[in-house]
Amino acid sequence: MSGWNVVWGALVTGGLCAGSYFGAPRGENQTVIRTSLIMTLVCCYLMWAITYLAQLHPIINPKKSDFARNADTL
């Protein structure tokens, strides 16, 4: 688990975006199809990268609580 996975993911996403740009079918809706495919890939990558980095470097450190110990005495 390292930060390099985000870089590799960006490279793969960039390759898929290039492939969808050049592989979009010709026609009057070519721009719409290209835009939809590229936006979908970028949004999925950003969601994955933000979630991955949030788990890699959490903002708040977890605190140990004695909840389980107190639950036994109830």
Side-chain angles (χ1 to χ4, degrees), residues 13-14 29 31 33 36 39 41 44 48-49 51-53 56 62 66:
T13 303
N29 291 329
T31 305
I33 294 170
S36 298
M39 290 292 290
L41 288 168
C44 287
W48 171 80
T51 304
Y52 183 82
L53 289 173
L56 188 62
D66 56 349

Side-chain angles (χ1 to χ4, degrees), residues 13-35:
T13 303
L16 289 172
C17 286
S20 66
Y21 181 82
F22 293 113
R26 304 274 185 227
E28 64 182 47
N29 291 329
Q30 182 181 18
T31 305
V32 175
I33 294 170
R34 280 181 179 171
T35 304

Side-chain angles (χ1 to χ4, degrees), residues 40-55:
T40 300
L41 288 168
V42 169
C43 288
C44 287
Y45 167 74
L46 284 175
M47 184 61 123
W48 171 80
I50 290 169
T51 304
Y52 183 82
L53 289 173
Q55 293 176 10

